[in-house]
């Protein structure tokens, strides 16, 4: 499953860069073609970010990557109480 998500990630980012480049640099596109290129670039961006986040979370959960330094619920509540003082 991770390999499939990684492949989707690569394809999504490639689509983002390719269609984004087309949308930004092409001079002879019609308005409809420009909108389609921009929408495909946006879809690649959203899919790429989602796949990257999924891979990062799986890597943290399986021990392949160091966990981020996020506060636990108790420490977060204590920090919130101290913040307003």
């Amino acid at each position: 499953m991770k390999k499939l998500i990684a492949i989707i990630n690569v394809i999504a980012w490639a689509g983002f860069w390719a269609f984004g480049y087309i949308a930004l640099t092409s001079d002879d596109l019609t308005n409809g073609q420009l909108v389609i290129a921009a929408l495909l670039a946006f879809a690649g961006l959203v899919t790429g970010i989602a796949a990257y986040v999924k891979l990062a979370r799986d890597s943290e959960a399986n021990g392949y990557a160091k966990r981020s330094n996020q506060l636990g619920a108790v420490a977060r509540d204590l920090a919130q109480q101290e913040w307003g003082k």
Side-chain angles (χ1 to χ4, degrees), residues 3 11 23 31-32 36 44-45 51 59-60 65 68 72 74:
K3 288 182 182 181
I11 292 170
N31 285 340
I36 290 173
L45 175 70
S59 295
E60 286 181 357
S68 58
V74 174

Side-chain angles (χ1 to χ4, degrees), residues 2 52 55-68:
K2 286 183 226 173
Y52 178 79
L55 288 172
R57 287 183 181 172
D58 284 346
S59 295
E60 286 181 357
N62 292 332
Y64 290 118
K66 184 180 172 185
R67 290 200 178 270
S68 58

Side-chain angles (χ1 to χ4, degrees), residues 12-26 29 33-45:
W13 283 113
F16 165 71
W17 287 110
F19 289 110
Y21 180 78
I22 290 170
L24 291 175
T25 61
S26 184
L29 289 179
Q33 291 171 331
L34 183 63
V35 169
I36 290 173
L39 288 175
L40 288 172
F42 181 72
L45 175 70

